[in-house]
Amino acid sequence: MTNYNPLLLSRRSVLKSAGAGFGYLALAGLLGQQTAKLLAADKSLPKPLAPKPPHFTPRAKRVIFLFMEGAMSQHDTFDYKPKLQQDDGKAGPGGGKLVGSKFAFKQYGQTGSWFSELIPNIATHADELCWLRGLHTDTPAHPQAVVQLHTGSKNAALTRPSMGAWLLYGLGTDNQDLPGYVTINPPPNFGGAVNYGSAFLPAHFQGTRITDQGFLPNIKAAVAQKPSAQADRFHSIAQP
């Protein structure tokens, strides 16, 4: 057994201590790349984001879900309610007055799907669209309804995984270096991060939020008001 001499430093010890350990940070990154290659080659290790074989061969390559908060009402576009049109102006069951659509509706295609006069061009693709008529909510309040739409639960305190998190969990992703679930400019209120969260699923199934300005929060440098500001900051730190 070799006697330990504290005055003799290994290369790893020097990297950990010199320059406040900055060199060791680079070493950790290099070793991480090697470890990732070894993990990718080992078929016995679990890979939660790896693509999973489906029950049948799908034609869809990806899922894009548009949640258009504040958009035009479905009752004025493609969700025709003949009973509501008949009861237009009458008192509603919960108070207030029922208001039917002010636009004319017609049926299109072999499916006979209803479209309003506002979207005649979309109506020409009636037979290429899939309509889900089975949705319902337990509450008319917007905050709870938004959470229920994304997670299936109207109670934000009893969090459930979002639809995107379930899709990533069930299908995986071909690209292990980029997020498989991205949410662009999600609503900050009405449940906030609950609408794209992973709840009791592992954290890597949560949606990666991109702001309406096109960057990831907490990654863009706060000092980069001009292109050279960040470089100037690094130079000032590096100077003795």
Side-chain angles (χ1 to χ4, degrees):
M1 181 176 179
T2 305
N3 293 329
Y4 173 71
N5 187 344
L7 298 179
L8 298 177
L9 297 177
S10 66
R11 288 177 295 176
R12 183 167 298 191
S13 298
V14 173
L15 289 172
K16 290 175 68 174
S17 57
F22 193 77
Y24 195 64
L25 182 64
L27 176 62
L30 294 173
L31 294 177
Q33 294 178 5
Q34 296 181 359
T35 303
K37 293 179 180 179
L38 293 175
L39 293 176
D42 191 345
K43 303 299 183 182
S44 64
L45 294 176
K47 301 176 182 61
L49 296 180
K52 300 174 179 62
H55 298 291
F56 54 88
T57 303
R59 289 184 297 175
K61 301 294 184 182
R62 56 194 59 87
V63 177
I64 300 176
F65 172 62
L66 300 179
F67 173 64
M68 298 181 289
E69 181 183 7
M72 185 178 295
S73 170
Q74 71 272 20
H75 300 315
D76 290 331
T77 50
F78 51 80
D79 194 4
Y80 180 57
K81 300 290 188 184
K83 180 63 175 174
L84 180 61
Q85 297 300 112
Q86 296 175 12
D87 295 340
D88 185 24
K90 297 180 180 179
K97 185 174 67 173
L98 297 176
V99 179
S101 177
K102 305 304 180 184
F103 304 98
F105 275 75
K106 289 198 319 184
Q107 290 178 286
Y108 290 81
Q110 296 181 1
T111 58
S113 299
W114 289 91
F115 290 86
S116 83
E117 58 184 330
L118 295 176
I119 47 177
N121 294 329
I122 297 178
T124 61
H125 303 281
D127 293 337
E128 301 174 31
L129 300 173
C130 176
W131 305 101
L132 178 59
R133 305 291 189 184
L135 296 179
H136 69 278
T137 179
D138 302 323
T139 172
H142 283 75
Q144 291 83 357
V146 169
V147 172
Q148 187 172 18
L149 172 67
H150 288 88
T151 69
S153 173
K154 63 181 179 180
N155 191 342
L158 301 175
T159 55
R160 297 289 185 271
S162 62
M163 179 172 60
W166 276 123
L167 288 172
L168 183 57
Y169 170 79
L171 299 178
T173 174
D174 288 326
N175 195 325
Q176 303 298 295
D177 298 322
L178 293 174
Y181 172 26
V182 174
T183 175
I184 301 176
N185 195 27
N189 49 10
F190 295 166
V194 172
N195 294 303
Y196 56 90
S198 57
F200 51 76
L201 293 177
H204 42 250
F205 295 117
Q206 176 169 318
T208 299
R209 182 167 70 94
I210 298 178
T211 69
D212 56 349
Q213 299 178 359
F215 65 87
L216 300 173
N218 305 320
I219 290 183
K220 185 175 181 180
V223 298
Q225 290 86 8
K226 58 180 182 176
S228 60
Q230 192 171 8
D232 294 341
R233 181 179 175 87
F234 279 129
H235 289 319
S236 64
I237 294 176
Q239 303 249 339

